[in-house]
Amino acid sequence: MAFIKHYFLLLVIFSLSLNVYGKLSTNFYSSTCPNVLNIIKEGVDEAIKKETRVGGSILRLHFHDCFVNGCDGSILLDNTSTFQSEKTAAPNNNSARGFEAVDLIKAKVEKACPGIVSCADILAIIARDAVVYYGGPTWKVRLGRRDSLKANRSAANAFLPGPSFDLNNLTTNFANVGLSFRDLIVLSGAHTIGVARCATYRAHIYNDNNIDPAFAKSLQQTCPRNTGNNNTLQPLDYQTNFRFDEKYYQNLIAKKGLLHSDQVLYNGNQRADYDVKKYANDQCKFFKAFAKSMVRMGNIKPLTGTDGEIRLNCRKPN
């Protein structure tokens, strides 16, 4: 009887361990690397002080990582003899940046806690810290992700949202990774910081009707219709480019969204228009919703347990 009770207890413990296995936790490194959050925050602060726009870049890296096979750090991998990097996929090529900042932060973390903290987790943390640096909301980042062993360039080409997407494309794109229509509206608010290249907004300022004519004309001065200037930069939020706030949504209502994929969020769809107006008029609601959506996005198919690895260098598998 004692043996049976003991065996039953082991089964219960094993069952409970299965229930928690694979889940992310806000205190994952509390004993193995207790100072990791402070180390990363200091690194993010240093990086943005050195280059003001890099915070928007590293926030975008987390997005583009999670939308391709889940939040696994794959976007950070360089080319190898066995796979092509996601960095050269069409949505990332000449666009994704901030890799050097990630390298410096990873090096500091490795010095303090060798082989403990994944690159995927670092991306999740620096995304939060960048938002906070620019005056945005904070949230508790769930940790415990592990790093992929390879990149997937074809998936990056297929699944990353593009600047020419319409609302249906965007809705499907977000649904494919388990995110809702409201997550789409909320997470697009990340464009309250950052810049975009002429090549990404050219079609919007010349071909679309849902744009303020004077705004379009001003952008056309430095982004010609057919020739050159592809790399000319414009702020995604022309009002407060380096401030995380609700102005992005106010821009959409004024038909001054920089990208086609921005402005389609306020273009006659009742659900989308309602949420855009709500967040344009209430920064607190936007901040609260953004924090929740970032947690959901960060939980897209993470590698945990014994899957993947903890990369020592974010640019290459061990």
Side-chain angles (χ1 to χ4, degrees):
M1 182 66 71
F3 172 79
I4 293 175
K5 288 182 178 180
H6 179 69
Y7 179 72
F8 178 75
L9 180 60
L10 288 176
L11 284 177
V12 171
I13 293 173
F14 179 69
S15 176
L16 288 173
S17 69
L18 285 178
N19 288 334
V20 299
Y21 180 81
K23 291 185 178 179
L24 305 180
S25 166
T26 57
N27 60 356
F28 188 82
Y29 298 111
S30 60
S31 60
T32 56
C33 193
N35 201 35
V36 63
L37 295 181
N38 290 330
I39 294 170
I40 292 175
K41 181 183 182 302
E42 290 174 1
V44 170
D45 290 354
E46 289 174 7
I48 299 177
K49 287 175 182 176
K50 184 177 180 181
E51 184 193 9
T52 309
R53 63 175 283 211
V54 79
S57 301
I58 58 180
L59 172 60
R60 186 167 180 258
L61 286 180
H62 184 43
F63 276 75
H64 281 220
D65 182 39
C66 291
F67 271 69
V68 181
N69 293 348
C71 308
D72 60 3
S74 61
I75 193 172
L76 302 175
L77 289 167
D78 289 336
N79 286 329
T80 72
S81 59
T82 58
F83 61 77
Q84 289 182 298
S85 172
E86 293 169 20
K87 297 175 183 179
T88 56
N92 293 326
N93 197 33
N94 297 318
S95 175
R97 58 189 306 278
F99 300 106
E100 293 78 10
V102 177
D103 291 339
L104 290 173
I105 292 169
K106 172 64 170 174
K108 291 180 180 181
V109 173
E110 281 298 307
K111 184 177 181 180
C113 313
I116 298 296
V117 182
S118 70
C119 299
D121 274 349
I122 289 175
L123 282 183
I125 298 168
I126 64 178
R128 188 271 311 273
D129 290 349
V131 168
V132 171
Y133 185 95
Y134 292 121
T138 189
W139 58 92
K140 291 185 177 180
V141 181
R142 296 176 185 173
L143 303 168
R145 302 168 190 80
R146 289 169 64 86
D147 298 320
S148 64
L149 302 176
K150 60 183 180 180
N152 193 332
R153 186 174 183 271
S154 61
N157 278 318
F159 299 121
L160 287 173
S164 63
F165 276 22
D166 62 22
L167 189 58
N168 287 334
N169 295 144
L170 290 169
T171 303
T172 299
N173 182 261
F174 273 64
N176 285 340
V177 293
L179 295 176
S180 69
F181 187 83
R182 179 155 292 173
D183 289 324
L184 161 62
I185 307 300
V186 170
L187 292 174
S188 295
H191 283 181
T192 184
I193 56 174
V195 297
R197 297 164 57 241
C198 166
T200 65
Y201 61 82
R202 176 181 281 120
H204 179 49
I205 65 175
Y206 285 103
N207 303 332
D208 288 349
N209 294 320
N210 61 336
I211 184 171
D212 177 80
F215 181 64
K217 187 174 182 179
S218 69
L219 294 170
Q220 291 167 7
Q221 303 305 308
T222 55
C223 183
R225 183 188 292 272
N226 295 317
T227 59
N229 291 21
N230 279 346
N231 293 323
T232 297
L233 300 176
Q234 287 291 338
L236 288 161
D237 174 357
Y238 78 96
Q239 292 194 77
T240 53
N241 186 29
F242 297 120
R243 181 75 183 172
F244 199 98
D245 55 27
E246 78 286 6
K247 297 294 191 297
Y248 166 81
Y249 297 103
Q250 295 177 8
N251 296 340
L252 300 186
I253 293 173
K255 293 189 175 183
K256 294 181 179 181
L258 183 64
L259 304 178
H260 176 85
S261 58
D262 287 327
Q263 195 58 59
V264 295
L265 303 184
Y266 190 80
N267 194 39
N269 179 280
Q270 187 174 0
R271 290 174 62 199
D273 289 359
Y274 174 83
D275 281 344
V276 167
K277 288 178 181 177
K278 177 172 64 176
Y279 299 133
N281 292 322
D282 195 325
Q283 181 175 272
C284 289
K285 286 183 178 178
F286 167 46
F287 280 13
K288 185 176 180 180
F290 187 84
K292 289 182 178 179
S293 288
M294 285 295 289
V295 171
R296 282 193 289 272
M297 188 188 75
N299 201 41
I300 297 173
K301 296 190 296 184
L303 297 175
T304 58
T306 57
D307 293 334
E309 65 181 8
I310 305 298
R311 273 187 238 137
L312 304 181
N313 180 332
C314 291
R315 292 178 179 265
K316 59 183 182 180
N318 294 340

